[in-house]
Amino acid sequence: LQRLRARLARSNTAMGHVLLALLSREGLSESDWEDVEDTLLASDLGVEATTELVNALRTQVKIEGTTDPEVVRSWLRTDLLRLVDPTMDRRIAASRTENHPAVILVVGVNGTGKTTSVGKLGRVLVAEDKDILFGAADTFRAAAADQLSTWGERVGVPTVRSQLEGADPASVAYEAVKAGIDLESDVVIIDTAGRLHTKRGLMDELGKIKRVVEKLAPVGEVLLVLDATTGQNGMRQAEEFAKEVAITGIVLTKLDGTAKGGIVVNVQRKLGVPVKLIGLGEGPDDLAPFDPEAFVDAIVG
Ligand code: GDP
């Protein structure tokens, strides 16, 4: 976790340094404030949140009449934390209830890091001593199920998959949950396809997977995987998904090596659901629960 924090800090401090340097100027001019706005926008915080934050800071500077870096830092910290919203429930529903496992459906566009995140989440839950199963419901590409099985072997989680390319994704998901019931697993994590060029088909497929699985057990968690580096385009995709399936949480990947952390605030506001997990690299240990305080600390230092 320390290592992940350091990685997050590296990618966020660039933005933090710029902001603090700008904000501690004597007698902030109109163009200084525009620079502050530009920096926040460049982090993908979004127009609305940026305007709100800048207005709050301007008011504080005016009322208190100081640009002392330490004071400004504490304002920035408070205002950012409020935007990130520490009150949201970010726990992952991962406990067996009655006679069935917790079911987690993982959705998102191809390439965002879906399969990788399923693998890493498996690792996190195995470390909590839970019995996990993966379901490979991306049956469109044989390579997708292979990739998931490989992750399964890596983190010690069996994968339920179909040998047939093009099998019905809902039936694979059903089999995975059924196996989870028979084996008394704690959690079944289902990886889904993300071919966006057949959007209607994809959304219908996700709906069907959910309906079919829910004949056996409720789907307690639908996690949307979003690539932090894809900006407005990624946001639009996220909104498309959220319109069609009831998302319960966001996994924001590739936050390592990007200063675009502001997207956390943006996506939470747009979708009204919390960022629950963040991806900070390609390795099995590079997934962390999203911690608002640590996130803001990484920006303001
Ligand atoms: P999927 O098509 O959505 O299932 O995406 P994959 O899981 O295959 O991931 C696509 C690429 O993104 C792979 O090369 C992953 O190693 C990489 N990736 C996934 N998550 C992260 C992350 O948090 N950070 C970085 N740097 N790379 C990631």
Side-chain angles (χ1 to χ4, degrees):
L1 203 59
Q2 277 324 53
R3 194 176 49 86
L4 292 184
R5 287 225 169 116
R7 202 171 290 175
L8 181 62
R10 251 204 318 281
S11 64
N12 270 346
T13 37
M15 169 184 154
H17 279 321
V18 175
L19 279 177
L20 290 170
L22 282 168
L23 285 166
S24 51
R25 280 186 196 159
E26 281 306 319
L28 285 157
S29 69
E30 205 50 45
S31 90
D32 290 335
W33 283 112
E34 278 168 23
D35 290 345
V36 171
E37 258 170 18
D38 289 345
T39 308
L40 291 167
L41 287 172
S43 83
D44 278 346
L45 190 67
V47 176
E48 213 181 275
T50 297
T51 309
E52 223 177 277
L53 182 58
V54 169
N55 285 345
L57 287 169
R58 288 190 78 149
T59 307
Q60 281 157 318
V61 167
K62 203 191 257 160
I63 291 173
E64 304 292 332
T66 177
T67 50
D68 174 350
E70 278 318 303
V71 179
V72 169
R73 186 194 302 270
S74 80
W75 291 338
L76 188 58
R77 188 175 196 291
T78 309
D79 291 340
L80 272 173
L81 195 58
R82 192 175 48 231
L83 286 175
V84 175
D85 193 351
T87 66
M88 283 180 155
D89 185 358
R90 297 170 199 276
R91 287 169 300 181
I92 301 280
S95 299
R96 269 183 79 77
T97 36
E98 290 157 35
N99 291 320
H100 45 71
V103 177
I104 302 177
L105 202 60
V106 181
V107 307
V109 174
N110 278 345
T112 51
K114 218 172 338 99
T115 305
T116 306
S117 299
V118 170
K120 295 192 242 178
L121 179 58
R123 166 85 140 209
V124 168
L125 297 174
V126 165
E128 293 173 7
D129 258 345
K130 295 192 190 277
D131 270 316
I132 313 294
L133 273 186
F134 289 157
D138 181 357
T139 57
F140 188 69
R141 301 170 300 148
D146 290 344
Q147 192 194 346
L148 185 63
S149 305
T150 305
W151 266 103
E153 284 158 28
R154 234 168 139 184
V155 302
V157 172
T159 301
V160 176
R161 57 180 295 185
S162 166
Q163 294 314 319
L164 303 169
E165 193 171 319
D168 179 7
S171 88
V172 179
Y174 183 91
E175 290 305 323
V177 174
K178 191 160 175 302
I181 291 170
D182 294 344
L183 296 168
E184 299 187 0
S185 309
D186 293 303
V187 187
V188 178
I189 311 176
I190 299 169
D191 189 18
T192 62
R195 298 159 277 144
L196 206 60
H197 56 280
T198 55
K199 200 167 73 200
R200 189 68 261 153
L202 173 61
M203 298 304 173
D204 288 346
E205 184 177 298
L206 292 175
K208 184 176 169 197
I209 291 175
K210 191 153 183 273
R211 272 196 315 280
V212 169
V213 163
E214 290 199 322
K215 291 180 178 164
L216 295 171
V219 174
E221 198 79 72
V222 181
L223 297 178
L224 173 70
V225 180
L226 181 66
D227 177 341
T229 65
T230 54
Q232 276 311 307
N233 199 19
M235 282 296 307
R236 262 193 304 277
Q237 290 169 357
E239 285 177 279
E240 299 275 353
F241 272 91
K243 258 197 300 203
E244 303 284 340
V245 264
I247 307 294
T248 60
I250 297 148
V251 182
L252 198 58
T253 61
K254 311 188 194 182
L255 266 179
D256 50 309
T258 172
K260 302 221 168 265
I263 198 166
V264 168
V265 172
N266 205 351
V267 72
Q268 286 187 160
R269 288 192 159 210
K270 286 257 165 65
L271 306 191
V273 290
V275 171
K276 291 190 171 178
L277 297 164
I278 54 176
L280 291 161
E282 300 186 82
D285 293 315
D286 297 336
L287 185 78
F290 178 68
D291 174 347
E293 305 259 350
F295 183 77
V296 170
D297 281 344
I299 295 173
V300 295

PDB file of all heavy atoms in Angstrom, residues 108-117 120 141 147 151 191 225 252-256 278-282 286, ligand 1:
ATOM      1  N   GLY A 108     -17.100  -2.582 -18.933  1.00  0.00           N
ATOM      2  CA  GLY A 108     -16.306  -1.460 -19.430  1.00  0.00           C
ATOM      3  C   GLY A 108     -15.820  -1.742 -20.835  1.00  0.00           C
ATOM      4  O   GLY A 108     -15.889  -2.874 -21.307  1.00  0.00           O
ATOM      5  N   VAL A 109     -15.337  -0.699 -21.473  1.00  0.00           N
ATOM      6  CA  VAL A 109     -14.875  -0.810 -22.851  1.00  0.00           C
ATOM      7  C   VAL A 109     -13.551  -1.586 -22.899  1.00  0.00           C
ATOM      8  O   VAL A 109     -12.734  -1.474 -21.983  1.00  0.00           O
ATOM      9  CB  VAL A 109     -14.696   0.607 -23.438  1.00  0.00           C
ATOM     10  CG1 VAL A 109     -14.078   0.559 -24.821  1.00  0.00           C
ATOM     11  CG2 VAL A 109     -16.033   1.320 -23.472  1.00  0.00           C
ATOM     12  N   ASN A 110     -13.349  -2.357 -23.946  1.00  0.00           N
ATOM     13  CA  ASN A 110     -12.092  -3.090 -24.137  1.00  0.00           C
ATOM     14  C   ASN A 110     -10.894  -2.159 -24.043  1.00  0.00           C
ATOM     15  O   ASN A 110     -10.931  -1.049 -24.578  1.00  0.00           O
ATOM     16  CB  ASN A 110     -12.059  -3.745 -25.523  1.00  0.00           C
ATOM     17  CG  ASN A 110     -12.816  -5.054 -25.547  1.00  0.00           C
ATOM     18  OD1 ASN A 110     -13.127  -5.618 -24.500  1.00  0.00           O
ATOM     19  ND2 ASN A 110     -13.114  -5.536 -26.741  1.00  0.00           N
ATOM     20  N   GLY A 111      -9.873  -2.640 -23.381  1.00  0.00           N
ATOM     21  CA  GLY A 111      -8.634  -1.875 -23.313  1.00  0.00           C
ATOM     22  C   GLY A 111      -8.551  -0.979 -22.089  1.00  0.00           C
ATOM     23  O   GLY A 111      -7.503  -0.405 -21.796  1.00  0.00           O
ATOM     24  N   THR A 112      -9.658  -0.850 -21.344  1.00  0.00           N
ATOM     25  CA  THR A 112      -9.637   0.017 -20.167  1.00  0.00           C
ATOM     26  C   THR A 112      -8.904  -0.649 -19.005  1.00  0.00           C
ATOM     27  O   THR A 112      -8.488   0.018 -18.064  1.00  0.00           O
ATOM     28  CB  THR A 112     -11.069   0.375 -19.699  1.00  0.00           C
ATOM     29  OG1 THR A 112     -11.831  -0.827 -19.579  1.00  0.00           O
ATOM     30  CG2 THR A 112     -11.746   1.297 -20.689  1.00  0.00           C
ATOM     31  N   GLY A 113      -8.776  -1.982 -19.063  1.00  0.00           N
ATOM     32  CA  GLY A 113      -8.092  -2.696 -17.975  1.00  0.00           C
ATOM     33  C   GLY A 113      -9.048  -3.579 -17.177  1.00  0.00           C
ATOM     34  O   GLY A 113      -8.805  -3.889 -16.016  1.00  0.00           O
ATOM     35  N   LYS A 114     -10.101  -4.011 -17.843  1.00  0.00           N
ATOM     36  CA  LYS A 114     -11.138  -4.818 -17.180  1.00  0.00           C
ATOM     37  C   LYS A 114     -10.575  -6.137 -16.654  1.00  0.00           C
ATOM     38  O   LYS A 114     -10.676  -6.429 -15.455  1.00  0.00           O
ATOM     39  CB  LYS A 114     -12.250  -5.097 -18.190  1.00  0.00           C
ATOM     40  CG  LYS A 114     -13.614  -5.058 -17.614  1.00  0.00           C
ATOM     41  CD  LYS A 114     -14.718  -5.146 -18.671  1.00  0.00           C
ATOM     42  CE  LYS A 114     -14.362  -4.762 -20.064  1.00  0.00           C
ATOM     43  NZ  LYS A 114     -14.059  -5.767 -21.011  1.00  0.00           N
ATOM     44  N   THR A 115     -10.014  -6.928 -17.560  1.00  0.00           N
ATOM     45  CA  THR A 115      -9.532  -8.251 -17.159  1.00  0.00           C
ATOM     46  C   THR A 115      -8.429  -8.136 -16.110  1.00  0.00           C
ATOM     47  O   THR A 115      -8.414  -8.870 -15.118  1.00  0.00           O
ATOM     48  CB  THR A 115      -9.040  -9.024 -18.400  1.00  0.00           C
ATOM     49  OG1 THR A 115     -10.107  -9.053 -19.353  1.00  0.00           O
ATOM     50  CG2 THR A 115      -8.644 -10.441 -18.050  1.00  0.00           C
ATOM     51  N   THR A 116      -7.532  -7.204 -16.341  1.00  0.00           N
ATOM     52  CA  THR A 116      -6.458  -6.967 -15.369  1.00  0.00           C
ATOM     53  C   THR A 116      -7.040  -6.629 -13.998  1.00  0.00           C
ATOM     54  O   THR A 116      -6.577  -7.131 -12.971  1.00  0.00           O
ATOM     55  CB  THR A 116      -5.575  -5.793 -15.866  1.00  0.00           C
ATOM     56  OG1 THR A 116      -5.143  -6.098 -17.196  1.00  0.00           O
ATOM     57  CG2 THR A 116      -4.369  -5.583 -14.993  1.00  0.00           C
ATOM     58  N   SER A 117      -8.072  -5.789 -13.983  1.00  0.00           N
ATOM     59  CA  SER A 117      -8.679  -5.386 -12.708  1.00  0.00           C
ATOM     60  C   SER A 117      -9.383  -6.557 -12.031  1.00  0.00           C
ATOM     61  O   SER A 117      -9.349  -6.676 -10.798  1.00  0.00           O
ATOM     62  CB  SER A 117      -9.667  -4.234 -12.917  1.00  0.00           C
ATOM     63  OG  SER A 117      -8.999  -3.107 -13.437  1.00  0.00           O
ATOM     64  N   LYS A 120      -6.609  -8.517 -10.420  1.00  0.00           N
ATOM     65  CA  LYS A 120      -6.076  -7.851  -9.226  1.00  0.00           C
ATOM     66  C   LYS A 120      -7.082  -7.872  -8.078  1.00  0.00           C
ATOM     67  O   LYS A 120      -6.704  -8.026  -6.917  1.00  0.00           O
ATOM     68  CB  LYS A 120      -5.726  -6.399  -9.562  1.00  0.00           C
ATOM     69  CG  LYS A 120      -4.588  -6.229 -10.572  1.00  0.00           C
ATOM     70  CD  LYS A 120      -4.147  -4.772 -10.600  1.00  0.00           C
ATOM     71  CE  LYS A 120      -4.331  -4.110 -11.922  1.00  0.00           C
ATOM     72  NZ  LYS A 120      -3.946  -2.697 -11.954  1.00  0.00           N
ATOM     73  N   ARG A 141     -13.969 -13.144 -27.790  1.00  0.00           N
ATOM     74  CA  ARG A 141     -12.594 -13.446 -28.198  1.00  0.00           C
ATOM     75  C   ARG A 141     -12.082 -14.569 -27.312  1.00  0.00           C
ATOM     76  O   ARG A 141     -12.120 -14.451 -26.078  1.00  0.00           O
ATOM     77  CB  ARG A 141     -11.684 -12.236 -27.990  1.00  0.00           C
ATOM     78  CG  ARG A 141     -12.085 -10.989 -28.746  1.00  0.00           C
ATOM     79  CD  ARG A 141     -11.257  -9.795 -28.271  1.00  0.00           C
ATOM     80  NE  ARG A 141     -11.452  -9.555 -26.833  1.00  0.00           N
ATOM     81  CZ  ARG A 141     -10.539  -9.072 -26.015  1.00  0.00           C
ATOM     82  NH1 ARG A 141      -9.341  -8.774 -26.472  1.00  0.00           N
ATOM     83  NH2 ARG A 141     -10.799  -8.880 -24.739  1.00  0.00           N
ATOM     84  N   GLN A 147      -6.742 -14.985 -21.209  1.00  0.00           N
ATOM     85  CA  GLN A 147      -6.105 -13.931 -20.404  1.00  0.00           C
ATOM     86  C   GLN A 147      -6.618 -13.993 -18.958  1.00  0.00           C
ATOM     87  O   GLN A 147      -5.843 -13.884 -18.010  1.00  0.00           O
ATOM     88  CB  GLN A 147      -6.419 -12.567 -21.030  1.00  0.00           C
ATOM     89  CG  GLN A 147      -5.581 -11.422 -20.472  1.00  0.00           C
ATOM     90  CD  GLN A 147      -6.145 -10.061 -20.846  1.00  0.00           C
ATOM     91  OE1 GLN A 147      -7.009  -9.944 -21.720  1.00  0.00           O
ATOM     92  NE2 GLN A 147      -5.685  -9.027 -20.180  1.00  0.00           N
ATOM     93  N   TRP A 151      -4.608 -14.942 -15.427  1.00  0.00           N
ATOM     94  CA  TRP A 151      -4.672 -14.148 -14.191  1.00  0.00           C
ATOM     95  C   TRP A 151      -5.106 -15.036 -13.023  1.00  0.00           C
ATOM     96  O   TRP A 151      -4.578 -14.942 -11.923  1.00  0.00           O
ATOM     97  CB  TRP A 151      -5.653 -12.977 -14.348  1.00  0.00           C
ATOM     98  CG  TRP A 151      -4.965 -11.725 -14.778  1.00  0.00           C
ATOM     99  CD1 TRP A 151      -4.948 -11.183 -16.026  1.00  0.00           C
ATOM    100  CD2 TRP A 151      -4.175 -10.854 -13.955  1.00  0.00           C
ATOM    101  NE1 TRP A 151      -4.202 -10.038 -16.043  1.00  0.00           N
ATOM    102  CE2 TRP A 151      -3.720  -9.808 -14.773  1.00  0.00           C
ATOM    103  CE3 TRP A 151      -3.803 -10.863 -12.610  1.00  0.00           C
ATOM    104  CZ2 TRP A 151      -2.919  -8.781 -14.296  1.00  0.00           C
ATOM    105  CZ3 TRP A 151      -3.006  -9.833 -12.123  1.00  0.00           C
ATOM    106  CH2 TRP A 151      -2.566  -8.809 -12.966  1.00  0.00           C
ATOM    107  N   ASP A 191     -16.135 -11.329 -15.636  1.00  0.00           N
ATOM    108  CA  ASP A 191     -15.520 -10.435 -16.619  1.00  0.00           C
ATOM    109  C   ASP A 191     -16.405 -10.446 -17.870  1.00  0.00           C
ATOM    110  O   ASP A 191     -16.840 -11.506 -18.317  1.00  0.00           O
ATOM    111  CB  ASP A 191     -14.119 -10.982 -16.954  1.00  0.00           C
ATOM    112  CG  ASP A 191     -13.295 -10.026 -17.803  1.00  0.00           C
ATOM    113  OD1 ASP A 191     -13.641  -8.835 -17.864  1.00  0.00           O
ATOM    114  OD2 ASP A 191     -12.294 -10.486 -18.390  1.00  0.00           O
ATOM    115  N   VAL A 225     -15.244  -0.237 -15.242  1.00  0.00           N
ATOM    116  CA  VAL A 225     -13.819   0.057 -15.344  1.00  0.00           C
ATOM    117  C   VAL A 225     -13.614   1.210 -16.326  1.00  0.00           C
ATOM    118  O   VAL A 225     -14.131   1.193 -17.445  1.00  0.00           O
ATOM    119  CB  VAL A 225     -13.026  -1.185 -15.808  1.00  0.00           C
ATOM    120  CG1 VAL A 225     -11.537  -0.870 -15.911  1.00  0.00           C
ATOM    121  CG2 VAL A 225     -13.253  -2.341 -14.828  1.00  0.00           C
ATOM    122  N   LEU A 252     -11.090   2.971 -11.396  1.00  0.00           N
ATOM    123  CA  LEU A 252     -10.374   3.910 -12.248  1.00  0.00           C
ATOM    124  C   LEU A 252      -8.953   3.401 -12.445  1.00  0.00           C
ATOM    125  O   LEU A 252      -8.165   3.352 -11.500  1.00  0.00           O
ATOM    126  CB  LEU A 252     -10.377   5.283 -11.569  1.00  0.00           C
ATOM    127  CG  LEU A 252     -10.067   6.485 -12.429  1.00  0.00           C
ATOM    128  CD1 LEU A 252     -11.041   6.610 -13.591  1.00  0.00           C
ATOM    129  CD2 LEU A 252     -10.089   7.749 -11.589  1.00  0.00           C
ATOM    130  N   THR A 253      -8.640   3.002 -13.687  1.00  0.00           N
ATOM    131  CA  THR A 253      -7.343   2.389 -13.946  1.00  0.00           C
ATOM    132  C   THR A 253      -6.331   3.394 -14.499  1.00  0.00           C
ATOM    133  O   THR A 253      -6.706   4.486 -14.930  1.00  0.00           O
ATOM    134  CB  THR A 253      -7.470   1.254 -14.982  1.00  0.00           C
ATOM    135  OG1 THR A 253      -7.966   1.818 -16.196  1.00  0.00           O
ATOM    136  CG2 THR A 253      -8.398   0.150 -14.500  1.00  0.00           C
ATOM    137  N   LYS A 254      -5.091   2.990 -14.495  1.00  0.00           N
ATOM    138  CA  LYS A 254      -3.979   3.722 -15.120  1.00  0.00           C
ATOM    139  C   LYS A 254      -3.768   5.101 -14.500  1.00  0.00           C
ATOM    140  O   LYS A 254      -3.387   6.052 -15.185  1.00  0.00           O
ATOM    141  CB  LYS A 254      -4.174   3.801 -16.643  1.00  0.00           C
ATOM    142  CG  LYS A 254      -4.509   2.417 -17.242  1.00  0.00           C
ATOM    143  CD  LYS A 254      -4.521   2.369 -18.737  1.00  0.00           C
ATOM    144  CE  LYS A 254      -5.197   1.075 -19.217  1.00  0.00           C
ATOM    145  NZ  LYS A 254      -5.221   0.904 -20.643  1.00  0.00           N
ATOM    146  N   LEU A 255      -4.044   5.194 -13.205  1.00  0.00           N
ATOM    147  CA  LEU A 255      -3.775   6.454 -12.501  1.00  0.00           C
ATOM    148  C   LEU A 255      -2.282   6.638 -12.257  1.00  0.00           C
ATOM    149  O   LEU A 255      -1.845   7.723 -11.888  1.00  0.00           O
ATOM    150  CB  LEU A 255      -4.526   6.497 -11.171  1.00  0.00           C
ATOM    151  CG  LEU A 255      -5.889   7.187 -11.205  1.00  0.00           C
ATOM    152  CD1 LEU A 255      -6.531   7.149  -9.828  1.00  0.00           C
ATOM    153  CD2 LEU A 255      -5.797   8.621 -11.688  1.00  0.00           C
ATOM    154  N   ASP A 256      -1.504   5.563 -12.434  1.00  0.00           N
ATOM    155  CA  ASP A 256      -0.050   5.713 -12.381  1.00  0.00           C
ATOM    156  C   ASP A 256       0.346   6.449 -13.653  1.00  0.00           C
ATOM    157  O   ASP A 256      -0.213   6.226 -14.718  1.00  0.00           O
ATOM    158  CB  ASP A 256       0.632   4.338 -12.323  1.00  0.00           C
ATOM    159  CG  ASP A 256       0.118   3.384 -13.407  1.00  0.00           C
ATOM    160  OD1 ASP A 256      -1.111   3.232 -13.519  1.00  0.00           O
ATOM    161  OD2 ASP A 256       0.938   2.804 -14.141  1.00  0.00           O
ATOM    162  N   ILE A 278      -8.729   1.884  -7.386  1.00  0.00           N
ATOM    163  CA  ILE A 278      -7.892   2.526  -8.396  1.00  0.00           C
ATOM    164  C   ILE A 278      -6.764   1.596  -8.826  1.00  0.00           C
ATOM    165  O   ILE A 278      -6.189   0.878  -8.017  1.00  0.00           O
ATOM    166  CB  ILE A 278      -7.326   3.887  -7.918  1.00  0.00           C
ATOM    167  CG1 ILE A 278      -6.597   3.757  -6.584  1.00  0.00           C
ATOM    168  CG2 ILE A 278      -8.437   4.917  -7.802  1.00  0.00           C
ATOM    169  CD1 ILE A 278      -5.941   5.050  -6.120  1.00  0.00           C
ATOM    170  N   GLY A 279      -6.493   1.622 -10.128  1.00  0.00           N
ATOM    171  CA  GLY A 279      -5.406   0.831 -10.700  1.00  0.00           C
ATOM    172  C   GLY A 279      -4.171   1.702 -10.822  1.00  0.00           C
ATOM    173  O   GLY A 279      -4.226   2.808 -11.352  1.00  0.00           O
ATOM    174  N   LEU A 280      -3.057   1.175 -10.308  1.00  0.00           N
ATOM    175  CA  LEU A 280      -1.829   1.966 -10.290  1.00  0.00           C
ATOM    176  C   LEU A 280      -0.660   1.228 -10.925  1.00  0.00           C
ATOM    177  O   LEU A 280       0.483   1.406 -10.538  1.00  0.00           O
ATOM    178  CB  LEU A 280      -1.491   2.354  -8.847  1.00  0.00           C
ATOM    179  CG  LEU A 280      -2.459   3.364  -8.213  1.00  0.00           C
ATOM    180  CD1 LEU A 280      -2.363   3.351  -6.703  1.00  0.00           C
ATOM    181  CD2 LEU A 280      -2.187   4.767  -8.750  1.00  0.00           C
ATOM    182  N   GLY A 281      -0.970   0.359 -11.888  1.00  0.00           N
ATOM    183  CA  GLY A 281       0.103  -0.369 -12.558  1.00  0.00           C
ATOM    184  C   GLY A 281      -0.419  -1.671 -13.124  1.00  0.00           C
ATOM    185  O   GLY A 281      -1.596  -1.994 -12.981  1.00  0.00           O
ATOM    186  N   GLU A 282       0.484  -2.424 -13.772  1.00  0.00           N
ATOM    187  CA  GLU A 282       0.049  -3.622 -14.482  1.00  0.00           C
ATOM    188  C   GLU A 282       0.193  -4.903 -13.667  1.00  0.00           C
ATOM    189  O   GLU A 282      -0.266  -5.959 -14.078  1.00  0.00           O
ATOM    190  CB  GLU A 282       0.837  -3.758 -15.785  1.00  0.00           C
ATOM    191  CG  GLU A 282       0.624  -2.562 -16.707  1.00  0.00           C
ATOM    192  CD  GLU A 282       1.279  -2.764 -18.057  1.00  0.00           C
ATOM    193  OE1 GLU A 282       0.655  -3.426 -18.898  1.00  0.00           O
ATOM    194  OE2 GLU A 282       2.398  -2.264 -18.260  1.00  0.00           O
ATOM    195  N   ASP A 286      -1.177  -4.116  -7.957  1.00  0.00           N
ATOM    196  CA  ASP A 286      -1.342  -2.697  -8.286  1.00  0.00           C
ATOM    197  C   ASP A 286      -2.792  -2.223  -8.319  1.00  0.00           C
ATOM    198  O   ASP A 286      -3.211  -1.510  -9.226  1.00  0.00           O
ATOM    199  CB  ASP A 286      -0.656  -2.392  -9.628  1.00  0.00           C
ATOM    200  CG  ASP A 286       0.844  -2.631  -9.564  1.00  0.00           C
ATOM    201  OD1 ASP A 286       1.401  -2.569  -8.448  1.00  0.00           O
ATOM    202  OD2 ASP A 286       1.453  -2.896 -10.607  1.00  0.00           O
TER     203      ASP A 286
HETATM  204  P1  GDP B   1      -9.583  -5.072 -21.051  1.00  0.00           P
HETATM  205  O1  GDP B   1      -9.591  -5.181 -22.552  1.00  0.00           O
HETATM  206  O2  GDP B   1     -10.461  -3.975 -20.576  1.00  0.00           O
HETATM  207  O3  GDP B   1      -9.847  -6.366 -20.355  1.00  0.00           O
HETATM  208  O4  GDP B   1      -8.117  -4.566 -20.671  1.00  0.00           O
HETATM  209  P2  GDP B   1      -6.857  -5.368 -20.125  1.00  0.00           P
HETATM  210  O5  GDP B   1      -7.102  -5.848 -18.743  1.00  0.00           O
HETATM  211  O6  GDP B   1      -6.435  -6.369 -21.145  1.00  0.00           O
HETATM  212  O7  GDP B   1      -5.784  -4.194 -20.018  1.00  0.00           O
HETATM  213  C1  GDP B   1      -5.365  -3.439 -21.131  1.00  0.00           C
HETATM  214  C2  GDP B   1      -3.940  -2.946 -20.890  1.00  0.00           C
HETATM  215  O8  GDP B   1      -3.916  -1.997 -19.832  1.00  0.00           O
HETATM  216  C3  GDP B   1      -2.988  -4.048 -20.460  1.00  0.00           C
HETATM  217  O9  GDP B   1      -1.752  -3.843 -21.103  1.00  0.00           O
HETATM  218  C4  GDP B   1      -2.853  -3.852 -18.956  1.00  0.00           C
HETATM  219  O10 GDP B   1      -1.623  -4.327 -18.455  1.00  0.00           O
HETATM  220  C5  GDP B   1      -2.959  -2.348 -18.850  1.00  0.00           C
HETATM  221  N1  GDP B   1      -3.442  -1.912 -17.525  1.00  0.00           N
HETATM  222  C6  GDP B   1      -4.546  -2.314 -16.876  1.00  0.00           C
HETATM  223  N2  GDP B   1      -4.682  -1.660 -15.697  1.00  0.00           N
HETATM  224  C7  GDP B   1      -3.623  -0.807 -15.594  1.00  0.00           C
HETATM  225  C8  GDP B   1      -3.179   0.169 -14.606  1.00  0.00           C
HETATM  226  O11 GDP B   1      -3.796   0.409 -13.573  1.00  0.00           O
HETATM  227  N3  GDP B   1      -2.027   0.848 -14.897  1.00  0.00           N
HETATM  228  C9  GDP B   1      -1.315   0.615 -16.044  1.00  0.00           C
HETATM  229  N4  GDP B   1      -0.215   1.336 -16.234  1.00  0.00           N
HETATM  230  N5  GDP B   1      -1.699  -0.264 -16.986  1.00  0.00           N
HETATM  231  C10 GDP B   1      -2.826  -0.969 -16.767  1.00  0.00           C
END
